[in-house]
C-alpha cells in the first residue's frame, strides 16, 4: 500500500545547496526546516495521512467531505484556510468536476525544535480522487525568500496583480508491507505556486501545491485557477489595484 505526500513542508521551498543559515536573507523557519532530517519529516507526514484516514479506502465519501475539526495541535488559522480551499467549485477548478472531495484536513503539522520552540504555519489539504491540493499561509517566508533559492525550476509569474513564482519538487512515497514496516522513496512531481500577500515581494506569502497520488503530472492551469479563486477569500490577502 502506498501514499504520496510532499517531500518537505511547502514553506521550506526548493532546498538550496548551502548549509542552514548560510544563504543570506533566509527566515529562521526556512533555515530550521532545511536542518530537519528527511526521516523525521516522513514520519510526521505519514502520521498525518494515517490519522486522517488517507491510507484507508473506506475513508472515501460519495458526497463532498467537510473539513476535519481542528485538533489542539493544529494552528488556529487552519479552519479559515480549509473553509476557503474546500469550496463547492473546487472539483471544477481542478479539472475533475465529477470527483467529489473525499478528505479535507490540516496540511503540514507544527515542528518542535530541540529547545522546545514550536514553529507552525497554518495549512489545509484537500483530496479529490488521486489529486491533492494544499494551501499554506507562509507567515515567515516572503516571495523574495523563495526567489533566493537557486533552483532551475523556479520561475517568476504574477497572480491577481501580485508577484508570484512557481517551482517543482518530488513527493515522498510511503509503502506499507504486511508487517506494517514503512519505507519511503521519491514519488511524482508536485507543483508549487507562491504568491505574495501584498503588491510587493517582501511580506508573507501564500503557497499552493498540487500533486497526484498516481504520479501523473499536475495541471498547472488548474493550480492557477484554484489560486485565483481562493486567494481573495484568505485572511491576510491584500487586494491589488
Amino acid at each position: 500500500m502506498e501514499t504520496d505526500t510532499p517531500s518537505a513542508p511547502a514553506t521550506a521551498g526548493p532546498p538550496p545547496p548551502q548549509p542552514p543559515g548560510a544563504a543570506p536573507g533566509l527566515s529562521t523557519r526556512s533555515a530550521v526546516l532545511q536542518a530537519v532530517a528527511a526521516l523525521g519529516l516522513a514520519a510526521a507526514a505519514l502520521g498525518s495521512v494515517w490519522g486522517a484516514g488517507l491510507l484507508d479506502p473506506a475513508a472515501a465519501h460519495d458526497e463532498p467531505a467537510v473539513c476535519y475539526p481542528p485538533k489542539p495541535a493544529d494552528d488556529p488559522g487552519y479552519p479559515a484556510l480549509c473553509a476557503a480551499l474546500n469550496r463547492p467549485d473546487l472539483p471544477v477548478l481542478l479539472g475533475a468536476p465529477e470527483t467529489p472531495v473525499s478528505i479535507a484536513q490540516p496540511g503540514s503539522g507544527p515542528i518542535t525544535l530541540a529547545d522546545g520552540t514550536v514553529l507552525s504555519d497554518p495549512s489545509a489539504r484537500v483530496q479529490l480522487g488521486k489529486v491533492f491540493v494544499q494551501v499554506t499561509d507562509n507567515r515567515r517566508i516572503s516571495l523574495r525568500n523563495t526567489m533566493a533559492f537557486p533552483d532551475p525550476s523556479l520561475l517568476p509569474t504574477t497572480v491577481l496583480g501580485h508577484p508570484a513564482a512557481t517551482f517543482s519538487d518530488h513527493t515522498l512515497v510511503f509503502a506499507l508491507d504486511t508487517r506494517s514496516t514503512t519505507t519511503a522513496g521519491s514519488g511524482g512531481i508536485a507543483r508549487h505556486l507562491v504568491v505574495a500577500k501584498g503588491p510587493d515581494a517582501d511580506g508573507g506569502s501564500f503557497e499552493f501545491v498540487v500533486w497526484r497520488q498516481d504520479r501523473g503530472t499536475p495541471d498547472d492551469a488548474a493550480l492557477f485557477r484554484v489560486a485565483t479563486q481562493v486567494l481573495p477569500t484568505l485572511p491576510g490577502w491584500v487586494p491589488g489595484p
Side-chain angles (χ1 to χ4, degrees):
M1 182 181 299
E2 293 186 351
T3 187
D4 285 29
T5 194
S7 57
T11 51
Q18 294 92 343
L26 293 181
S27 69
T28 301
R29 175 172 172 77
S30 179
V32 168
L33 288 179
Q34 294 165 35
V36 177
L39 182 60
L41 290 175
L46 181 62
S48 173
V49 296
W50 181 270
L54 289 179
L55 303 184
D56 181 4
H61 306 284
D62 293 331
E63 298 297 329
V66 298
C67 291
Y68 273 68
K71 302 181 295 296
D74 293 328
D75 188 281
Y78 152 69
L81 290 186
C82 192
L85 183 61
N86 190 26
R87 47 190 292 141
D89 62 349
L90 183 62
V92 175
L93 296 175
L94 285 173
E98 303 301 321
T99 306
V101 170
S102 56
I103 294 174
Q105 62 166 359
S108 305
I111 295 176
T112 302
L113 306 184
D115 63 0
T117 302
V118 178
L119 299 178
S120 175
D121 283 334
S123 63
R125 180 181 301 173
V126 173
Q127 178 184 359
L128 296 82
K130 300 293 185 181
V131 180
F132 293 81
V133 58
Q134 179 169 302
V135 60
T136 301
D137 180 351
N138 290 339
R139 295 167 175 165
R140 304 170 181 85
I141 305 291
S142 69
L143 179 65
R144 194 174 304 280
N145 293 149
T146 300
M147 294 299 296
F149 286 98
D151 187 281
S153 73
L154 192 62
L155 296 174
T157 185
T158 59
V159 176
L160 298 177
H162 290 216
T166 60
F167 67 89
S168 301
D169 64 8
H170 283 273
T171 63
L172 282 177
V173 177
F174 299 102
L176 299 178
D177 62 22
T178 55
R179 296 174 297 176
S180 297
T181 300
T182 304
T183 57
S186 180
I189 296 294
R191 289 291 291 159
H192 297 250
L193 172 62
V194 183
V195 185
K197 292 182 179 180
D200 60 59
D202 290 316
S205 61
F206 289 111
E207 184 163 356
F208 293 83
V209 56
V210 173
W211 70 100
R212 297 182 60 90
Q213 195 172 36
D214 58 9
R215 305 195 191 192
T217 302
D219 183 358
D220 262 21
L223 178 61
F224 277 82
R225 285 196 300 267
V226 171
T228 299
Q229 295 301 313
V230 172
L231 281 168
T233 69
L234 296 178
W237 173 255
V238 180

